[in-house]
Structures are given as structure tokens and as C-alpha cells.
Amino acid sequence: MAIRAIRKKHNSPRSKKSSGAGARQTFDVLVLATMSAGKSSFINALVGRSLLPAANEATTACLTSIEHRRTAKSFRGTCYSDAGDKIITEPDASTEAVRAWNADTQIRRIHLSGKFRTHLPLGPGLVLHDTPGPNNSQDERHGELMLDAIHRVPFKLLCYVLNAAQLGTWDDRRLLEQLRELLAQQPQRPLVFILNKVDLLDPERGEDLAGSVSKARRYLEGLGFLDAIIVPTMANIALYARKAMHAEPLTRVERIKLRQALDELGFEQENTLQAAAMPEALKARVLRELKKSTRPGPLPSDDVQAGDVAELEQLLVHSGIRTVEFLLNQRSTAA
Ligand SMILES: Nc1nc2c(ncn2[C@@H]2O[C@H](COP(=O)(O)OP(=O)(O)OP(=O)(O)O)[C@@H](O)[C@H]2O)c(=O)[nH]1
Ligand SMILES: [Mg+2]
């Protein structure tokens, strides 16, 4: 059965309850993909911190919800067992702590809450839900946890992350077919596709952005997802840019990748927003908003020059993450 990938806004976008978020009103966004497509990196880029562990191997093992709290000074972490018992509470959760929790077989769910470093205001109670990639042959519970998330998280938006460097694997196809069946029973749930890792495309080898989006669109249409919104992104680059803008230390590899992305910005022929698959009217609104909100703000430290910030701002727009932010802002603040 064919599915319109994104539908008109529905009437009651907020949930009263979200896993670990108590009885506050929440706007839940579920993030799904096969292993290593970049789910956790995508969430980190939106949060603006290396909060969730990300690596080129099965990394996320727990269902992890991250709630935006505008006034929080740090990220508070709470861990739950399979039975839902609270096991750990940590007022200032570090990436190392989150990594250790993911490795602890007693922990099934993690709830984190803190302030996201976004450009646009996000509605209070925005909760992003990270899930394990279900195609981990070493641990079949990852698949079960992901299915559990689809059934239990009262999500109002689903972000499905496609890996631009590995489009159309059998695992991805199977997951999308499964999702199509599940969503056919819940037609009110909008879906946005994130075409991640577009920085790995090599235009000189004919791998251009527009072609990659067209390929993704055809692939999705073949699976019954019609009129899909597809936003090309470079999640890891967006995260490094956000960290640099907040004068946060980067690792040597992160610095090199950020420098390379900034250098390539000058040569970039293709605009990620132009390449995105979405209605032209929506694109025009995103463009207006990006122009309005991409203004140099206060410098984070004496080490960061105004010119650097302007360049980083431009890179963030180019990374596609600000377009996603616009979509989240539009939906979560309208709630
Ligand atoms: N080149 C490139 N690499 C990326 C991008 N986003 C993520 N990565 C890398 O891809 C690898 C996997 O990223 P994760 O965020 O851990 O992927 P995941 O989907 O959360 O993986 P699991 O939790 O294991 O299912 C990491 O090495 C990331 O640094 C991107 O936009 N470009
Ligand atoms: Mg992950």
C-alpha cells in the first residue's frame, strides 16, 4: 500500500506522556534507521553536543530519549531496567557515562534532558528518541527494542535516516517495508527522510547531490513512500561546526574533517536545500527563515573570530541540519 510520506498537520500533536518524561506535554520525534546510518550523530547535531556515542559499529543498545529543557544547565540522565525500574540517576551525564550505560545489559532505556543548542526556538517538551539499528547480527534484542519503540513511543514525527553512501541495502529495504506496513495502520504519523552522509558523495565521480536525492526518491517510491520529504544532511560535520561555535574542544580528526568541509564550502556547486525533495513553497519558507536567523551572534570566546562564526554558520546551513531544525521548530512550536 502506498503511503504519503508527509501529511497535513494533525489536530493534537502533543502527547501527555512520554517514556521517562512524566506527565509533561511532549512532542516526540522517533529516529529510525539501520545500523550506522547516523541516527545518534543526527541527534547529536540537533542537540549541538557529542552526547550520544557514535561509531562505525553497532553502538546504540538502549532506547534513548533526549528531552529539550530550555533552562537546564546540564544533561540529566536516568536509566531504567527492562521492567521499568529506575537504576541510575546522574545530574550531569557525560558521553562516557552514556556509552557505559549502553554497554550495561541491565539498562534498557535511558532518558536525558538538557538544553539543545539550536538556532531556532524549539517548543518545550521536544523529545528525540534514538533507537538501536535493528540489523545487528550480534544482538537480536536491538531489533526487538526498535519495534518496541515504534509501538510504545507516542511519536508525532518520524525521522528515517538513509545512508547516502549505502543506499538500498537489503537490511534497509526490509526495515522500510516493515515500517510501511506499520504506518499503513497509523496514517496520521508524518515521516521525514534524512539522507545522511552526503559529504561522502564525490561529484567528480558523478555522485552529485541532486542525483543522490533522485535515487533516494525512486528507491522510496518503489517501496510505496510517495511524495517523500528528503533532506540531505552531513550530521557529523554539523555537530563539529556547532561545537566549534561554542568554543568546545574538537578531536584532531574532528578538526581535520571540519577544516576540509569549510574548505570545500568555497567550491560547493550544489545547495543542499535546493537539492532537498520537498514542496517548493516549504523550501521557500525554509530559505526565508534561514536568511532571517543566520545572523552573527555573540562570539563564544576570544579564540573565535567573527569571520569564523560566519563561515561556520554557512556550513551549518549547508549541512542540512538547519533545515531539519526548521521542520522541528514548525511542528513542535505549533503544538
Ligand atoms: N562521513 C559522515 N560520517 C557520518 C555522518 N554521520 C555519521 N557519521 C559516522 O557514521 C558512523 C555511525 O554513526 P552513528 O551515529 O553511530 O550511527 P547510528 O545509526 O546511531 O548507529 P547504531 O547506533 O549502531 O545503529 C560514525 O562513525 C559517525 O561519525 C555524516 O554525515 N558523514
Ligand atoms: Mg546510534
Side-chain angles (χ1 to χ4, degrees):
M1 185 192 296
I3 290 184
R4 297 275 152 195
I6 188 142
R7 301 175 182 84
K8 289 209 173 70
K9 219 165 52 204
H10 37 94
N11 292 330
S12 55
R14 278 182 182 266
S15 312
K16 273 261 161 64
K17 230 164 176 237
S18 156
S19 48
R24 270 186 310 280
Q25 293 240 312
T26 56
F27 183 89
D28 297 85
V29 178
L30 183 62
V31 181
L32 295 180
T34 52
M35 240 171 75
S36 294
K39 298 175 287 297
S40 305
S41 304
F42 168 69
I43 293 177
N44 280 341
L46 286 166
V47 174
R49 299 170 196 269
S50 301
L51 185 63
L52 306 176
N56 250 328
E57 57 181 347
T59 308
T60 306
C62 300
L63 292 184
T64 309
S65 50
I66 308 100
E67 182 175 0
H68 174 48
R69 289 268 183 92
R70 271 189 290 218
T71 52
K73 298 267 182 289
S74 60
F75 270 83
R76 189 179 180 79
T78 315
C79 303
Y80 300 86
S81 70
D82 224 358
D85 298 323
K86 203 184 277 188
I87 307 179
I88 298 171
T89 306
E90 168 60 57
D92 191 358
S94 62
T95 315
E96 290 68 37
V98 181
R99 184 172 292 116
W101 296 341
N102 270 283
D104 184 334
T105 50
Q106 292 223 302
I107 298 173
R108 274 287 155 262
R109 282 195 303 115
I110 301 170
H111 181 75
L112 296 156
S113 60
K115 191 171 187 279
F116 291 13
R117 287 166 169 168
T118 51
H119 278 62
L120 298 175
L122 299 169
L126 172 72
V127 188
L128 305 178
H129 295 263
D130 193 13
T131 52
N135 54 326
N136 177 8
S137 63
Q138 315 283 308
D139 193 339
E140 60 192 33
R141 281 171 310 176
H142 285 195
E144 289 162 19
L145 271 173
M146 185 218 65
L147 277 179
D148 192 39
I150 297 178
H151 291 297
R152 297 223 320 226
V153 174
F155 63 92
K156 296 298 178 290
L157 181 69
L158 199 152
C159 288
Y160 188 95
V161 183
L162 295 161
N163 182 346
Q166 253 180 29
L167 199 64
T169 61
W170 280 113
D171 283 341
D172 189 64
R173 185 175 284 271
R174 264 193 291 273
L175 178 54
L176 281 167
E177 280 170 352
Q178 201 177 4
L179 199 59
R180 186 191 58 202
E181 298 309 319
L182 286 165
L183 291 183
Q185 292 144 30
Q186 307 176 26
Q188 78 287 7
R189 295 186 158 184
L191 172 57
V192 168
F193 289 94
I194 308 299
L195 184 62
N196 194 36
K197 305 198 185 187
V198 293
D199 54 304
L200 295 179
L201 300 174
D202 186 348
E204 286 174 59
R205 289 173 184 268
E207 300 169 347
D208 60 293
L209 201 52
S212 177
V213 174
S214 301
K215 214 161 96 183
R217 195 208 286 251
R218 284 196 301 276
Y219 169 61
L220 292 170
E221 277 174 2
L223 287 163
F225 295 93
L226 308 179
D227 300 334
I229 285 192
I230 308 172
V231 184
T233 61
M234 314 171 190
N236 58 351
I237 303 293
L239 172 64
Y240 309 154
R242 277 215 153 123
K243 281 171 70 173
M245 285 170 93
H246 287 87
E248 240 183 57
L250 298 176
T251 66
R252 195 177 66 84
V253 170
E254 289 176 347
R255 271 200 312 277
I256 292 171
K257 288 187 177 167
L258 179 60
R259 188 69 264 159
Q260 191 185 352
L262 285 168
D263 288 347
E264 280 173 13
L265 204 54
F267 295 102
E268 219 54 70
Q269 303 297 316
E270 288 188 288
N271 175 319
T272 39
L273 179 58
Q274 278 315 320
M278 63 171 74
E280 286 305 317
L282 180 58
K283 244 186 226 183
R285 281 168 66 194
V286 178
L287 192 62
R288 270 200 304 278
E289 184 54 51
L290 290 179
K291 278 192 180 146
K292 203 166 72 186
S293 58
T294 310
R295 289 195 204 102
L299 298 179
S301 85
D302 292 346
D303 301 339
V304 183
Q305 308 288 313
D308 296 344
V309 172
E311 234 191 343
L312 290 168
E313 291 267 11
Q314 214 189 329
L315 184 59
L316 260 185
V317 169
H318 184 63
S319 76
I321 214 71
R322 301 264 341 257
T323 302
V324 177
E325 202 181 277
F326 173 88
L327 297 173
L328 289 184
N329 166 270
Q330 190 195 35
R331 282 156 185 278
S332 71
T333 53

